[in-house]
Amino acid sequence: MPAHTCKVVILLSGSGSNLQAFIDAVANGGLNASIVAVISNKPAAYGLERAQKAGIKTELVDHKQFADRESFDHTLAERIEAYQADLVILAGFMRILTPGFVSQFKGRLLNIHPSLLPKYPGLHTHQRAIDAGDSLHGATVHFVTEELDGGPAIIQAQVPIIKNDTEDSLAARVLKQEHKIYPLAASWFAKGQLELKNEKVLLDEQSLPAQGFQFTD
Ligand code: GRF
C-alpha cells in the first residue's frame, strides 16, 4: 500500500449496513482510510442515503442503462479509476463482474460473502445452511478472483445455528459479524499488511490458512 491514506471506493446495491460499518470504523479510528465514493447500480439503494448523510460522494451506474455486462463493467471501472481507488469494496453489490473487470482490480478488490466459504457460494446461503442441518455458519471476506465467491479467503467469522433459527434470525447474527470482520480486513489492507500474491493471501508476509484468519469476538 502507498504511503498516502488508502482511498476506498465502495460498491453496493442495497441497504448498505456494511457501508455503515466502514463509515463507523473510519470515524472511530479503527480504519485509517478515506471512503472517496460510494457507487450503486440501483437508484433506490438505501446505502446511497447513508453515504450522503456521511458526506461521501455518491454515484449511480445503473446496469439497466447498458446493453451488456461488458459495457456496464467498463463504465463502472472508469468511474472507480477516476477516484484513484487503492481498494474497492463490494458491499452487497449484486452484480456478477466480468473477468476483465476482476483482472483490472485484482489484488485490490474485496468481497464479503455470508457463508463459511468454500461452503455455499451463490445465493440463499442462510437457508441452505439451515436446510443442511449445519451447526455453524458465518461470513467470509475474500479477494475477488474470476471464480464467483471463490477467491482466497482473508478472514472468517463463525456463528452458531440455533434451534428454531429462521433465515432472518440467522442472517442478522451473521451480519453482526460481517460488520466487524469487513472493516478489519480493510484496515489490514490500508496499513499495507495484506496482500494477494500468486493467488495466496499474505498477512504480515505470512500465508493464511485456506479459510482465512479465524476471527473470534
Ligand atoms: C450481506 O449479507 C453481504 O454478505 C451480502 O449482501 C449483504 C449486504 O448487506 N453480500 P448490506 O447491504 O451491507 O446491509
Side-chain angles (χ1 to χ4, degrees):
M1 265 301 305
H4 66 256
T5 303
C6 179
K7 292 183 192 165
V8 181
V9 169
I10 297 185
L11 308 186
L12 51 74
S13 309
S15 153
S17 71
N18 277 290
L19 162 67
Q20 192 64 53
F22 272 74
I23 292 170
D24 297 345
V26 169
N28 70 29
L31 172 58
N32 184 11
S34 168
I35 305 170
V36 290
V38 168
I39 304 176
S40 172
N41 67 308
K42 291 202 173 174
Y46 181 60
L48 289 171
E49 276 181 50
R50 294 186 195 263
Q52 281 152 10
K53 276 189 199 137
I56 298 166
K57 248 190 120 179
T58 60
E59 290 203 29
L60 174 67
V61 183
D62 186 344
H63 62 279
K64 292 191 176 148
Q65 307 295 323
F66 294 83
D68 51 37
R69 233 177 246 291
E70 280 70 26
S71 55
F72 170 72
D73 277 13
H74 182 78
T75 297
L76 186 62
E78 262 181 9
R79 297 314 308 141
I80 296 168
E81 299 286 24
Y83 293 98
Q84 299 178 305
D86 300 302
L87 178 62
V88 181
I89 294 292
L90 304 178
F93 185 66
M94 303 305 283
R95 300 294 301 167
I96 292 173
L97 296 161
T98 55
F101 182 97
V102 171
S103 69
Q104 185 171 343
F105 293 100
K106 200 160 175 183
R108 52 183 174 132
L109 181 60
L110 305 189
N111 183 41
I112 191 160
H113 183 73
S115 80
L116 299 174
L117 288 172
K119 272 193 158 183
Y120 312 127
L123 297 174
H124 310 300
T125 56
H126 308 303
Q127 193 59 53
R128 285 157 70 198
I130 292 171
D131 292 347
D134 292 357
S135 54
L136 284 177
H137 187 44
T140 309
V141 177
H142 64 95
F143 277 105
V144 176
T145 59
E146 286 75 5
E147 194 190 338
L148 179 67
D149 299 325
I154 298 165
I155 184 168
Q156 195 166 72
Q158 299 188 343
V159 302
I161 297 183
I162 297 169
K163 201 168 165 246
N164 299 329
D165 253 335
T166 62
E167 188 173 13
D168 287 351
S169 64
L170 183 54
R173 192 174 309 121
V174 171
L175 205 51
K176 260 190 162 170
Q177 298 301 309
E178 293 186 28
H179 298 160
K180 293 178 186 169
I181 63 175
Y182 211 178
L184 178 57
S187 79
W188 293 338
F189 188 91
K191 285 189 278 192
Q193 293 176 272
L194 187 68
E195 188 185 2
L196 178 68
K197 205 171 183 182
N198 303 326
E199 307 294 312
K200 291 230 175 330
V201 180
L202 300 184
L203 179 62
D204 293 328
E205 283 160 27
Q206 306 287 314
S207 276
L208 286 176
Q211 287 180 282
F213 180 92
Q214 296 298 302
F215 176 78
T216 41
D217 257 329

